[in-house]
Every structure is written in C-alpha cells, then in structure tokens.
Amino acid sequence: MKLYYSAGACSLSPHIALEEAGLKYEAISAPTKTKVLPDGSDYRKVNPLGYVPYLVLDDGTGFSEGPAIVQYIADQAPDKKLAPPNGTVERYKLQSLLNFIGTEIHKSFGPLFNPAMPDEAKQAFKARLLERLQHVDGLLEGKQYLMGDNFTVADGYLFTVTNWAKPMGIDLSGLKNLVAYRERVGARPAVQAAMKAEGLI
C-alpha cells in the first residue's frame, strides 16, 4: 500500500492507523501547496483532487477521504481492534464519531488556515470550534479513549485535527479531559512513529 500524505495535515490520521495496524506500507510526501511528488511528478496524476490523504492498494485501487481510509486500514488488522466489527452498533458509533470529527471539527479549522478570511469570521469559527471541543471534552469524561478503553481510528483522527488548535490560537487548557487525552494518545509508539516520519517531532 502507498499512503500519500502532507506533513501535519489530516493525512497524519491514516498514517497513525497504518502504524497502529502494523501493516506494510510506503508513505509518500505529497505537499498540498506544490502538488509535486518526490520524483518530480504531478500528484494530481495520482489523485485528481490534489489533496491528501490518498491510499493506493497493492492492486492499484486508490481512494481518498480519511474516515473511509482509516476504516479500511482497521479492517485489515482486526486483531488490533482499531474499529469494532462491521454491522455492530459499536461500528456505527465509530462512524458517528468519525463523521463528527470530520464535519464539525476538521472542516471548521479550514477557514482558519485561509489568509484571506477576515478576522471577524475567524473568531466566529474559533468560537464554534471551542463549543464542539467542549462537547468532546465531555465525551472523554472517565474514559481513556473516545470509545472507552480501546484506542480506535477515531482517536488518531481527533488527535490529528486537535494538533492544529495551538497554531490557530485556540486555547485548550480549560478542557482538562481533552488535554490529558492528547498527552495519552501522543505518547503512543505508533503516533510517535508517524509524527517522526512526517518530521513533526
């Protein structure tokens, strides 16, 4: 498998999932600004959308969208319990979490990265984000991870997007459960390995 990523972007989530799953893969840097791969070719020839993550399977099948990719990865290593079995209520809970992280947190960060976005609009997005993160803080009350004692692909995704809080000026210090959770997730060997591979630590 080949994972196309951009350092520190949302593609860190499947990068973490691959490390947690212990699967064989190749990570290929695909900078979102230049779209130029290490061999000098245009990334858009691999993924016409030009964004990350993008996973290419051994048979050449490729697909985008992080929440789908991480579930595929989890299903290749069921013994790691990165996702509950398909068809179970717990699996739908995981999908609910992935969708919440993707639509309510991940996408709300997008405008903050846009230099053309007026400050007033950015403040509105920050307030919305903080409200969503307060909800997450409540979900984590009394839990090691989002779904209980087991680390799942939703945790890798939440960790990835909340990495952007500090550089975007969002103070998480009042969210004690989330802060402790981020320290716990960040200390996992697979998370450390993925971050080192992307030059983040």
Side-chain angles (χ1 to χ4, degrees):
M1 288 189 289
K2 293 178 181 178
L3 173 70
Y4 290 86
Y5 76 94
S6 185
C10 57
S11 47
L12 177 61
S13 168
H15 207 161
I16 290 169
L18 283 162
E19 286 290 334
E20 289 281 354
L23 299 174
K24 192 175 179 182
Y25 72 97
E26 178 186 359
I28 301 170
S29 176
T32 51
K33 288 183 181 175
T34 65
K35 319 287 187 199
V36 178
L37 297 176
D39 65 2
S41 63
D42 187 344
Y43 172 52
R44 284 165 290 205
K45 289 181 179 176
V46 178
N47 176 11
L49 291 167
Y51 60 66
V52 292
Y54 195 73
L55 188 72
V56 178
L57 309 186
D58 294 343
D59 67 1
T61 301
F63 57 105
S64 61
E65 310 314 319
I69 292 172
V70 295
Q71 288 181 82
Y72 175 83
I73 292 166
D75 288 339
Q76 306 317 299
D79 55 311
K80 302 289 186 176
K81 298 181 178 177
L82 295 171
N86 271 306
T88 62
V89 170
E90 290 302 300
R91 181 58 167 253
Y92 292 112
K93 287 181 181 177
L94 174 76
Q95 291 171 345
S96 175
L97 285 165
L98 288 170
N99 277 290
F100 175 78
I101 296 164
T103 60
E104 298 296 323
I105 302 176
H106 181 175
K107 284 302 173 188
S108 292
F109 267 107
L112 304 183
F113 287 98
N114 183 350
M117 182 68 64
D119 284 342
E120 192 176 323
K122 285 185 179 182
Q123 290 308 315
F125 277 103
K126 285 182 181 182
R128 174 192 166 103
L129 265 167
L130 203 51
E131 189 178 284
R132 298 299 187 264
L133 292 171
Q134 284 166 347
H135 173 71
V136 171
D137 192 66
L139 291 179
L140 290 168
E141 183 69 43
K143 291 181 187 173
Q144 289 288 301
Y145 301 106
L146 283 167
M147 295 192 68
D149 292 333
N150 285 340
F151 177 95
T152 69
V153 290
D155 296 299
Y157 192 15
L158 179 61
F159 176 80
T160 294
V161 297
T162 53
N163 277 346
W164 307 333
K166 188 174 180 180
M168 291 298 107
I170 296 171
D171 183 11
L172 301 181
S173 62
L175 307 175
K176 60 180 180 59
N177 297 323
L178 181 58
V179 169
Y181 163 88
R182 280 186 42 75
E183 288 176 5
R184 195 158 44 246
V185 173
R188 292 178 69 86
V191 176
Q192 291 278 305
M195 292 184 75
K196 279 179 185 169
E198 295 193 12
L200 301 174
I201 52 175

